[in-house]
Amino acid sequence: MTSFIRFFFTYLVFQSVAFAQPSDIDIKAIATDYFDVYAERKNFNDFMSFYDESVVLEDIVYGNHINGKSALSAFFNWSDKKFVTTSEVNLVLSQLLVDGMQVSAQGYFTQFKYGGKVMGPWRFSMHLTFNELGKIVKQVDWINYTPRENFLGGENLNDSLPPL
């Protein structure tokens, strides 16, 4: 009987560590860290560590649907030599709302160069869904890509953003 109790107790302890409850995880702190790493754009491995292996990303404007962490890594492609930052901060977060395991964020990506062309700033709204381990399992991006004539046409609402 004693070995059964020891086994059961070990099992319960393991379960409480391996399967943390949402109330045990500070999603706001994790999301804040995520956006800090994203804004610095220096350590891609740290950035990708926020994602679950089975993550799904939807880029609503472009219509991209990315499945899995490996595909997401290729999609973000931080090592692309055509991308050149023009600011120390690459992302400005203006609003972060947390509801359980869901995060809605608004802000903008600062101006940068891609292939020698100036891009941005780009406003974004992003919705993140976290799992019970605090990893992002779904990301939905709405990004106002500019220059508008290169992407969609229409008015450029990014012109009202403050310079950085």
Side-chain angles (χ1 to χ4, degrees):
M1 186 69 121
T2 306
S3 55
F4 175 75
I5 294 171
R6 187 177 307 131
F7 168 78
F8 186 70
F9 177 74
T10 303
Y11 175 79
L12 288 177
V13 169
F14 172 76
Q15 291 297 324
S16 68
V17 171
F19 300 102
Q21 296 300 311
S23 61
D24 297 338
I25 297 173
D26 188 346
I27 295 298
K28 184 173 185 177
I30 295 169
T32 300
D33 289 346
Y34 167 80
F35 284 106
D36 287 346
V37 171
Y38 206 157
E40 289 176 359
R41 197 182 166 99
K42 291 182 180 169
N43 191 324
F44 190 63
N45 289 332
D46 283 353
F47 176 70
M48 290 304 298
S49 73
F50 288 94
Y51 291 98
D52 185 79
E53 289 296 326
S54 63
V55 65
V56 172
L57 179 136
E58 295 177 351
D59 181 334
I60 300 300
V61 174
Y62 266 144
N64 291 317
H65 186 89
I66 311 299
N67 286 307
K69 193 171 181 177
S70 178
L72 184 66
S73 177
F75 175 76
F76 280 126
N77 191 18
W78 278 18
S79 63
D80 188 343
K81 301 293 185 213
K82 292 185 250 177
F83 180 90
V84 178
T85 60
T86 58
S87 173
E88 287 190 28
V89 177
N90 296 285
L91 174 149
V92 175
L93 190 62
S94 58
Q95 185 176 48
L96 184 69
L97 302 173
V98 179
D99 183 14
M101 304 303 272
Q102 307 291 316
V103 172
S104 292
Q106 290 184 343
Y108 63 94
F109 296 102
T110 59
Q111 198 172 67
F112 61 96
K113 289 184 180 179
Y114 186 79
K117 293 183 180 179
V118 175
M119 301 284 181
W122 293 349
R123 289 180 185 215
F124 71 82
S125 290
M126 192 179 296
H127 185 85
L128 304 173
T129 303
F130 289 82
N131 66 13
E132 65 280 353
L133 299 176
K135 299 292 183 182
I136 300 167
V137 292
K138 185 166 185 185
Q139 178 171 333
V140 180
D141 288 349
W142 293 82
I143 301 171
N144 190 356
Y145 298 104
T146 60
R148 301 288 299 167
E149 61 271 12
N150 291 356
F151 300 98
L152 305 170
E155 191 175 335
N156 181 4
L157 298 178
N158 295 317
D159 287 340
S160 66
L161 291 171
L164 193 66

